[in-house]
Amino acid sequence: MKFLFRADASSQIGSGHVMRCLALAVAVRPLADDIHFVCCDLQGELRGLIEDSGYRCTLLPVDNPAFDQVSDAQQTAELADAVDWLIVDHYGIDHHWQREMRSACNRIMVIDDLADRIHDCDILLDQTFGRHADEYRSLTPVACKVLTGTDYALLRPEFAASRPAALERRKASEGVHHVLVSIGGFDPENVTLDVLEVLAHADYSERLTVTAVCPAQPPADDASLNTLAGSFEKLEIRQYVSNMAELMAASDLAVGAGGTTSWERCCLGLPALIRIMADNQREVARRLEAAGAIRVWQSRTELRECLDEYVGDPSLLQSASGAASRVCDGQGLERVIAVMQSC
């Protein structure tokens, strides 16, 4: 079978669309003769990561800053050679683009989380926590299979594999000792440095092990990092990690952004302090906070207050861990693949 993925990443868009497509690509690999990614040539595109993962990637030229569905569909169709499944994860694409692609592929799957536009597809997947299929009924064809909620979250297999041991470890947790700082695929505001400085000035910093995952470059120069490191029991700066499940499982608390990584943290029962980095993260953050899985912060003062609460009350950490683990079990890929095979 041939699979074609259409998703973009950039310093403005973020990496979430491509990352969840990569997770799905891993799952369909045993079924595939060819897996091909098509992405716009934007600043911060992830062709290198896609190719390092073992897949072809073609970059479409960007001649106009405004996204043009007609032109994009024409260019993508030229690359679609008897495609069995076209998987689209793009906020700028709707039924107009999808109809243009119908003659170039057998079936179309759309990954979305906005529920704000009409689609022409065979499967619609929205992994948003609390989303209901009825929200898409007027936006999709009658025969479309609509998959909603975190039961269908696209997580790489290592998260499900790490879940039992991670949850068992958290039952014996004695509080916050290891903090994972990961703002996401891009951190243009250098929020990572803000977080590290807040942690460094906390009264309990000397007992903390802190792992900071940075997308491209360290959040500060060597001298500043050495100064910060002196405040902690241990400070480790990592870049472009491939073992995020392992890092999350070993951590007691995460500080990061919203978006698709929320389901990874929940799968492993990892409580999180979340900063909203984009408007489309607000609703997810609201729902997760209402469920007790996360706390939202937007300023250094709010972050420090949240940290103090979790560090000062281990039972609060345990409660948040339990709430997070109930959001997502990590089996979404298997469920999605089963639906795809039934089409």
Side-chain angles (χ1 to χ4, degrees), residues 97 112 134 151-152 161 163 170 180 192 207 237 311 315:
W97 187 99
D112 189 29
D134 288 347
D151 281 349
Y152 298 101
R163 177 176 166 88
R170 300 199 195 289
L180 174 65
T192 301
R207 78 184 203 212
I237 304 295
V311 171
S315 67

Side-chain angles (χ1 to χ4, degrees), residues 94 124 170 177 182 235-236 238 260 266 268 302 304:
D94 63 17
L124 186 291
R170 300 199 195 289
H177 296 280
S182 180
L235 172 63
E236 182 180 22
R238 302 282 297 275
T260 56
C266 286
L268 300 180
E302 290 175 346
R304 177 62 187 272

Side-chain angles (χ1 to χ4, degrees), residues 155-163 244-245 248 264-265 267-268:
L155 304 188
R156 298 188 304 278
E158 58 262 34
F159 288 93
S162 299
R163 177 176 166 88
M244 185 58 81
M248 288 184 176
E264 296 172 352
R265 292 186 294 251
C267 176
L268 300 180

Side-chain angles (χ1 to χ4, degrees), residues 121-263:
C121 56
D122 302 285
I123 297 177
L124 186 291
L125 167 62
D126 184 332
Q127 59 188 17
T128 302
F129 177 51
R131 182 75 77 194
H132 297 288
D134 288 347
E135 297 177 63
Y136 278 98
R137 285 307 174 195
S138 64
L139 304 175
T140 54
V142 173
C144 176
K145 296 184 179 182
V146 179
L147 313 178
T148 55
T150 49
D151 281 349
Y152 298 101
L154 300 175
L155 304 188
R156 298 188 304 278
E158 58 262 34
F159 288 93
S162 299
R163 177 176 166 88
L167 298 187
E168 191 63 30
R169 172 186 172 278
R170 300 199 195 289
K171 292 178 182 178
S173 172
E174 297 180 353
V176 178
H177 296 280
H178 191 167
V179 178
L180 174 65
V181 181
S182 180
I183 301 302
F186 299 93
D187 184 12
E189 301 175 35
N190 203 3
V191 176
T192 301
L193 181 58
D194 288 341
V195 174
L196 292 178
E197 289 178 344
V198 170
L199 286 167
H201 288 94
D203 299 337
Y204 39 81
S205 63
E206 291 184 354
R207 78 184 203 212
L208 297 179
T209 292
V210 178
T211 302
V213 178
C214 306
Q217 59 192 28
D221 58 39
D222 290 344
S224 297
L225 286 177
N226 288 337
T227 299
L228 285 169
S231 301
F232 304 113
E233 181 174 320
K234 181 181 179 182
L235 172 63
E236 182 180 22
I237 304 295
R238 302 282 297 275
Q239 293 173 261
Y240 290 118
V241 302
S242 59
N243 64 332
M244 185 58 81
E246 178 184 342
L247 294 177
M248 288 184 176
S251 302
D252 303 309
L253 180 67
V255 183
T260 56
T261 194
S262 297
W263 319 132

Side-chain angles (χ1 to χ4, degrees), residues 17 67-69 88-95 97 114 117:
H17 300 283
F67 183 76
D68 182 349
Q69 284 201 80
V88 187
D89 191 340
H90 198 296
Y91 292 154
I93 286 175
D94 63 17
H95 63 291
W97 187 99
L114 298 180
R117 61 202 187 280

